[in-house]
Amino acid sequence: MTQTQSDSPESAAQSTQSTEPESGTLDYDVIVLGAGPVGENVADRTRAAGLTTAIVESELVGGECSYWACMPSKALLRPVLARADARRVPGLSGSVQGALDASAVLAHRNEYTSQWKDDGQVQWLESAGIDLHRGVGRLTGPRTVTVTAADGTRRVLTARHAVAVCTGSRALLPGMPGLDEVAPWTSREATSAQAVPGRLVVVGGGVVATEMATAWQGLGSRVTLLVRGKGLLPRMEPFAGELVAEALTEAGVDLRTGTSATSVTRENGVVVVVTDTGERIEADEILLATGRAPRTDDIGLETVGLEPGSWLTVDDSLQVTGQDWLYAVGDVNKRALLTHQGKYQARIAGAAIAARAAGEPVAGRAWGAHAATADHDAVPQVVFTDPEAASVGLSLAEAEEKGHRVRAVDVDLASVAGAGLYGEGYKGRARMVVDLESETLRGVTFVGPGVGELIHSATVAVAAQVPVARLWHAVPSYPTISEVWLRLLEAYRDA
């Protein structure tokens, strides 16, 4: 299956591309480093504005999301979650008690990564009139990028207006004895493995750790989850991690909080993990889901006065501080390490680059055409565990830390008629964080089966700053889980 539709933008404007002077350099209006979904969207927007655009990629066009993150992970998770939902439905539950066909699941996952081939993505670039340069791109001075191809040949590209760094992030491995010999899984190996490990140790308590524990446990692996902190999903409301932890344990995951892995070895093919209590845990593989680092260590930042390997600080138009020609879009700026948020930033950055190139004013005001305001106030996220956890905006603790006068309103999702119809024994919870001065929503969190499809309604309410009084007129259909909105508003009114 060709995945051009999942990450590639839609526009395909046509105009004359680069020119090649006698010096051998290629001149463009815009150069983009990194052809993942973020880089593709920057290139699409600048190309649609009539700017000649080149994109540089050292791996697969389509990037992390298409081949090692969003798409393959959700392809692994969907059968696990669908089976869990089916087991809650009377008349169906008895038919879905057996094991999943792991081979079929892995084959379907392979289709969703286009068998790790990027032909479809390359075709999209060609149709959009964007030049692709294969190789490692490095800044070699202001507005200059040198591309080193796999065969060692080099080509110099120059940008008249802008260079956009869209190189993403990589797994950050802890400084743990024995890692070099163990060959641990990172998120890449966890989403691309071609066989189900009999035993898997997962280290971490965030999104990657919980989703991969869900996926591989569901596919038949015996999973041990080691969490250094007190609970899971620490960046969400506390009840999100609590409900996910309860469900993982019920599914058979050996969840150990307050536990650190202090060393790891591989003995005769078997991974041996030693914890801070001295316990030895044996497994076939170990997944380290312990954070992300920017892929900026080898892109020539030092040639323009920036620190290699650093996160890049930007303004709301995604322009790098102190550099009027350099942009950092997506994970590299550490604003919101999510594909959809990076693509949003890319649309903003592309429009800002085009405006500046045309000598037009940049609308930098909050929520303006050239300001990625949502990065601060309205970032949505879905964690595809069972139950799903979805949130947008600020948690109660974050809102209070920022000095907002707020009140949290909670509702048991099981009290909504649509939840009971969705599945027997439905467990879930909803919270909205209301700003008491503006009477708008600062944040919303849902936890429960199927709630990922609810979060965009909350995103619209938070991003548009819809007053609570107006939300009363947004009538949820009955009987759907969306009726939780009415229950939340009633709880706020009656408090």
Side-chain angles (χ1 to χ4, degrees):
M1 180 180 295
T2 301
Q3 286 303 302
T4 55
Q5 75 273 23
S6 65
D7 291 322
S8 296
E10 295 77 22
S11 175
Q14 302 293 323
S15 68
T16 304
Q17 265 293 46
S18 64
T19 57
E20 187 168 3
E22 292 182 2
S23 64
T25 63
L26 287 173
D27 296 329
Y28 293 91
D29 292 322
V30 179
I31 300 169
V32 179
L33 293 182
V38 175
E40 287 179 323
N41 272 267
V42 173
D44 171 66
R45 291 296 85 212
T46 58
R47 190 76 187 95
L51 300 176
T52 60
T53 302
I55 197 163
V56 182
E57 178 55 57
S58 61
E59 294 186 295
L60 295 175
V61 175
E64 200 80 11
C65 179
S66 295
Y67 306 105
W68 300 288
C70 317
M71 300 308 292
S73 66
K74 303 318 172 274
L76 291 173
L77 284 159
R78 179 58 191 150
V80 177
L81 301 185
R83 181 181 62 175
D85 284 343
R87 286 177 171 176
R88 301 183 183 102
V89 180
L92 178 60
S93 59
S95 302
V96 288
Q97 292 302 317
L100 291 168
D101 184 342
S103 295
V105 173
L106 296 178
H108 183 62
R109 183 275 318 275
N110 293 351
E111 291 180 15
Y112 259 83
T113 62
S114 301
Q115 309 293 337
W116 289 275
K117 296 178 182 178
D118 61 4
D119 297 8
Q121 300 276 11
V122 172
Q123 289 172 9
W124 176 81
L125 288 178
E126 292 172 350
S127 72
I130 299 165
D131 282 1
L132 170 63
H133 294 272
R134 297 269 194 187
V136 176
R138 297 181 179 89
L139 294 166
T140 47
R143 295 183 173 84
T144 304
V145 173
T146 298
V147 181
T148 304
D151 63 3
T153 59
R154 295 186 178 184
R155 167 156 277 175
V156 177
L157 313 179
T158 60
R160 300 181 188 92
H161 297 293
V163 174
V165 177
C166 308
T167 49
S169 63
R170 57 176 174 78
L172 178 64
L173 298 180
M176 188 187 303
L179 278 189
D180 292 342
E181 295 77 30
V182 169
W185 279 9
T186 67
S187 54
R188 283 197 168 195
E189 291 76 19
T191 56
S192 62
Q194 296 299 316
V196 179
R199 300 162 299 175
L200 174 66
V201 171
V202 180
V203 179
V207 176
V208 172
T210 54
E211 286 192 347
M212 289 299 93
T214 300
W216 290 110
Q217 179 73 29
L219 288 169
S221 184
R222 297 205 312 273
V223 175
T224 301
L225 181 57
L226 305 181
V227 185
R228 183 173 58 183
K230 295 181 179 179
L232 304 178
L233 304 176
R235 296 186 179 182
M236 285 187 159
E237 297 284 8
F239 63 81
E242 291 166 4
L243 286 169
V244 170
E246 178 183 331
L248 282 172
T249 301
E250 289 178 357
V253 172
D254 181 1
L255 172 59
R256 308 183 189 189
T257 58
T259 304
S260 297
T262 56
S263 69
V264 58
T265 57
R266 193 180 286 271
E267 303 171 6
N268 299 318
V270 176
V271 174
V272 178
V273 182
V274 178
T275 71
D276 51 0
T277 62
E279 184 179 4
R280 288 166 54 91
I281 303 171
E282 293 188 352
D284 299 287
E285 299 292 348
I286 180 171
L287 164 60
L288 299 177
T290 51
R292 306 291 294 179
R295 295 183 64 181
T296 60
D297 51 315
D298 189 28
I299 62 169
L301 290 182
E302 67 279 3
T303 68
V304 294
L306 297 172
E307 182 181 350
S310 65
W311 301 98
L312 297 176
T313 304
V314 297
D315 63 17
D316 275 357
S317 73
L318 291 310
Q319 195 174 72
V320 175
T321 302
Q323 309 283 345
D324 63 1
W325 56 274
L326 186 63
Y327 293 73
V329 193
D331 282 11
V332 290
N333 60 41
K334 207 181 181 181
R335 287 163 68 105
L337 278 67
L338 297 160
T339 295
H340 51 270
Q341 211 67 23
K343 292 165 71 173
Y344 159 74
Q345 293 177 12
R347 296 189 291 271
I348 298 293
I353 291 169
R356 289 181 173 121
E360 298 171 354
V362 171
R365 65 186 182 282
W367 307 110
H370 307 126
T373 310
D375 286 350
H376 309 297
D377 299 309
V379 174
Q381 181 175 20
V382 179
V383 184
F384 292 84
T385 47
D386 176 37
E388 291 176 348
S391 66
V392 63
L394 304 178
S395 67
L396 174 61
E398 289 170 336
E400 290 175 339
E401 287 171 6
K402 288 178 176 287
H404 301 301
R405 194 166 66 88
V406 294
R407 186 168 82 221
V409 179
D410 291 0
V411 166
D412 180 356
L413 262 171
S415 67
V416 178
L421 290 170
Y422 193 92
E424 284 193 332
Y426 190 104
K427 292 182 181 179
R429 187 171 170 185
R431 168 174 287 181
M432 68 178 188
V433 179
V434 183
D435 188 301
L436 296 176
E437 295 181 0
S438 64
E439 289 237 310
T440 59
L441 305 187
R442 287 286 179 182
V444 179
T445 299
F446 301 123
V447 183
V451 300
E453 297 300 335
L454 288 180
I455 199 60
H456 193 61
S457 59
T459 302
V460 172
V462 172
Q465 299 173 327
V466 181
V468 169
R470 179 59 63 88
L471 285 174
W472 277 103
H473 299 279
V475 183
S477 298
Y478 181 86
T480 66
I481 301 177
S482 292
E483 200 182 11
V484 68
W485 279 107
L486 178 56
R487 302 284 90 85
L488 285 166
L489 291 169
E490 290 172 339
Y492 179 68
R493 176 197 62 192
D494 297 340

